[in-house]
Amino acid sequence: MNKKIHIPPSEITPRHVYLSRRDFLKAMGIAGAGAALLAACGVPEGGGAQSPAGTAAPGDAGIGRQTDELGDGVNTYEDITNYNNYYEFTTDKQGVASLARDFKTSPWTVEVGGLVDNPKTYDVDDLLRKFPQEERIYRLRCVEAWSMVIPWMGFPLASLLKEAGPTSDAKYVRFETLNDPAQMPGLKNRLYPWPYQEGLRLDEAMNDLTLLATGLYGELMPPQNGAPLRLVVPWKYGFKSIKAIVKIELVAGQPSTMWSTIAPNEYGFYANVNPDVPHPRWSQATERRIGELKRRPTLLFNGYAEQVAHLYDGMDLSKNF
Ligand code: MTE
């Protein structure tokens, strides 16, 4: 892992002391600024596969592990970092970690521009210094119908956008991933219209839940999870949560996204988690939490309706999928 990113040492916690640090923060009354928070892909989950090979089930994490605001325990670090979708490396979920091991994340710059008053290219180290890092425990629901609970570190995208100052013409935000074939072997696969790109409506991007994540489990982000900087939009299918961001652009019109370019009838721009809107090839009514045997019902907006349902007032969610 790169050493040059300056997170205060107090923010960097080995996994084995993580839980006790959390207890400490809790005792101090500051557990997770995320406490404020209460807390595509290819083929669907067949429901047959169990916890990724060679990893502990989350239940093994032990008594006292962190939970989301619904009381569900966080997945293990091993699960979160060994079962990944990252097509720039490979479409094999369990092969990403080893292929991404030496991915160079420093130096790294992120260009923030387009329809803004203050366009600027940031060094990611400066972003880490500038914006206080918070912990947010979020559910991640993949469109393939598996899910995990992940303790992210990061800061609200809104903080960065406010600094950029969107002009009155800016209505959407467009994101782009690094496109470096020398480091990302999956880019040789010409089936995909690289670079990976994603987008949000400006009000979605400004919602407090929307996170620019820089780490997980109190550590800097592992390469396979999108280091050094990735988006996390917890009420949307995981493919919206774009990894290894190099560009953030404010634009007037709805941007193209990689998955909706490949299959517009299967992957919409909104991609809100919705048990009542099936994917054309499979149901979204239930999901498999990694590490659990029984499937569980999928929640509208992945359980975050209270915070985000108002964004879609008056919209037909089956048409605007
Ligand atoms: N971002 C990029 N650049 N490339 C990808 O292939 N996959 C997406 C999303 N972000 C992907 C990406 C999908 S389909 C999911 S489910 C999540 O990342 C998975 O995040 P995780 O591996 O950290 O669990």
Side-chain angles (χ1 to χ4, degrees), residues 223-237:
Q224 62 268 39
N225 293 91
L229 189 73
R230 59 103 43 102
L231 189 67
V232 180
V233 195
W235 71 96
K236 293 177 178 284
Y237 292 121

Side-chain angles (χ1 to χ4, degrees), residues 40-41 84-88 140 177 196 225 230 238 241 243:
C41 312
N84 303 103
N85 272 331
Y86 204 164
Y87 280 24
E88 286 88 338
L140 175 82
T177 293
Y196 199 103
N225 293 91
R230 59 103 43 102
S241 292
K243 296 177 172 181

